[in-house]
Amino acid sequence: MTAAAHPLFEAEGLGVTFPGRGKPVDALRDVCLTWAEGEVLGLVGASGSGKSTLGRTLMGLQRPSGGSLRFRGEPLTGPRDRDFRRRVQMIFQDPYQSLNPRRTVGAQVLEGLDVQGIGAPGEERTALAVAAMERCGLAPVDRYWHRYPRQLSGGQRQRVVIAAAVALGPEALICDEPVSALDVSIRSQVLGLLAELRRDEGIGLLFITHDVGLAWALCDRVAVLHLGELVEYGDVEQVLGAPRHPYTRELLAAVPAPRG
Ligand SMILES: Nc1ncnc2c1ncn2[C@@H]1O[C@H](COP(=O)(O)OP(=O)(O)O)[C@@H](O)[C@H]1O
Ligand SMILES: [Mg+2]
């Protein structure tokens, strides 16, 4: 997979500055990167390095203070439109951030389809929601449809969030520490689902993680953020297999052993 293929997102000199107490904080400084169609791009770095800020800025949840962004070659400025919100979805660490505790699973998977006007209301739309839930391992669907988020395990809740995203037929998922809050035993299942979505549906993933080992296992390319700056960026084998930057080596030192 080469970045040149068909870019989903392109960032050029991207900066985000927060006012902060006393002096401003540069959460991102002059970030240039490309996330290609169907690619799993890892975004790694320690806590506070700016990973979430970058994900939120791509989503339009955070306004950049400098630089430019493109999506599918088109400049991306201001609030994102409905079409963008169908094509690009965000998965947070905590599924409760995306789920409404007072609505059933079925209602929440249907909600995005309603908002986007996908499929005829009624049977057709319900069938799309059911198919997405099956695709995401929530089968038999009857068992989950009428439940509330609190009645599910953490892994099941994250599957509901992913199913609600997948139902809309997205091209890109921005996954911000999607398994960090899950039990270790559940993590690989949810990661397996994300990998399948990329393989089978060609959905590009921005995989944000502080866990370099996870990035190594899942990503095609990886970008390393350190205090808001991109210190290393390239094929995963190159960046994590033969790191050039001391900070990348430091991150890797915390990983028990490389895969393979
Ligand atoms: N809304 C905000 N207001 C002020 N500072 C923020 C805000 N969000 C993030 N920051 C600061 O920006 C930096 C990067 O944060 P973040 O993107 O959350 O890092 P990460 O996701 O890598 O842990 C940190 O110094 C953080 O304190
Ligand atoms: Mg974060």
Side-chain angles (χ1 to χ4, degrees):
M1 176 85 43
T2 61
H6 291 281
L8 283 171
F9 283 91
E10 296 160 276
E12 194 60 51
L14 194 69
V16 172
T17 303
F18 292 112
R21 261 172 278 134
K23 69 174 171 50
V25 176
D26 286 330
L28 293 177
R29 233 177 313 180
D30 196 24
V31 170
C32 301
L33 59 73
T34 301
W35 169 18
E37 183 176 87
E39 175 181 50
V40 185
L41 176 63
L43 191 57
V44 303
S47 171
S49 57
K51 306 182 299 296
S52 294
T53 300
L54 182 51
R56 291 171 47 80
T57 306
L58 297 184
M59 277 310 282
L61 300 171
Q62 172 64 50
R63 218 218 289 248
S65 25
S68 64
L69 275 177
R70 285 172 174 269
F71 176 64
R72 294 290 195 185
E74 300 294 325
L76 203 52
T77 53
R80 306 299 187 250
D81 63 12
R82 191 172 77 154
D83 183 52
F84 180 93
R85 282 183 276 113
R86 182 189 71 72
R87 296 165 75 177
V88 185
Q89 306 276 327
M90 189 146 183
I91 313 289
F92 295 97
Q93 172 172 339
D94 178 2
Y96 276 122
Q97 228 173 313
S98 319
L99 296 174
N100 181 336
R102 286 178 294 279
R103 300 199 71 197
T104 62
V105 164
Q108 296 193 61
V109 178
L110 273 174
E111 192 175 275
L113 293 163
D114 288 338
V115 169
Q116 292 286 342
I118 299 171
E123 252 175 63
E124 189 183 333
R125 206 166 275 174
T126 303
L128 290 171
V130 167
M133 286 174 63
E134 282 171 344
R135 180 71 196 78
C136 294
L138 295 164
V141 171
D142 302 350
R143 231 166 66 198
Y144 301 98
W145 188 269
H146 296 288
R147 289 209 209 163
Y148 289 88
R150 66 168 183 280
Q151 297 171 311
L152 302 177
S153 69
Q156 288 165 344
R157 278 196 287 273
Q158 200 58 301
R159 286 178 191 274
V160 172
V161 172
I162 297 169
V166 163
L168 308 183
E171 295 157 46
L173 295 182
I174 296 175
C175 307
D176 191 351
E177 306 271 8
V179 300
S180 301
L182 302 179
D183 287 349
V184 173
S185 59
I186 306 295
R187 275 184 199 177
S188 62
Q189 297 171 21
V190 174
L191 290 172
L193 170 60
L194 291 171
E196 278 173 29
L197 292 172
R198 188 280 281 273
R199 189 193 63 206
D200 301 340
E201 332 279 338
I203 300 176
L205 306 173
L206 181 66
F207 189 74
I208 298 177
T209 181
H210 66 280
D211 186 331
V212 184
L214 284 187
W216 204 330
L218 194 70
C219 300
D220 302 311
R221 289 190 310 140
V222 65
V224 181
L225 269 180
H226 177 50
L227 300 176
E229 291 189 48
L230 211 62
V231 296
E232 215 164 337
Y233 168 49
D235 288 341
V236 72
E237 297 296 341
Q238 176 205 316
V239 172
L240 301 180
R244 279 175 302 180
H245 198 281
Y247 178 70
T248 312
R249 290 193 204 115
E250 208 176 293
L251 284 177
L252 279 161
V255 180
R259 73 175 165 175

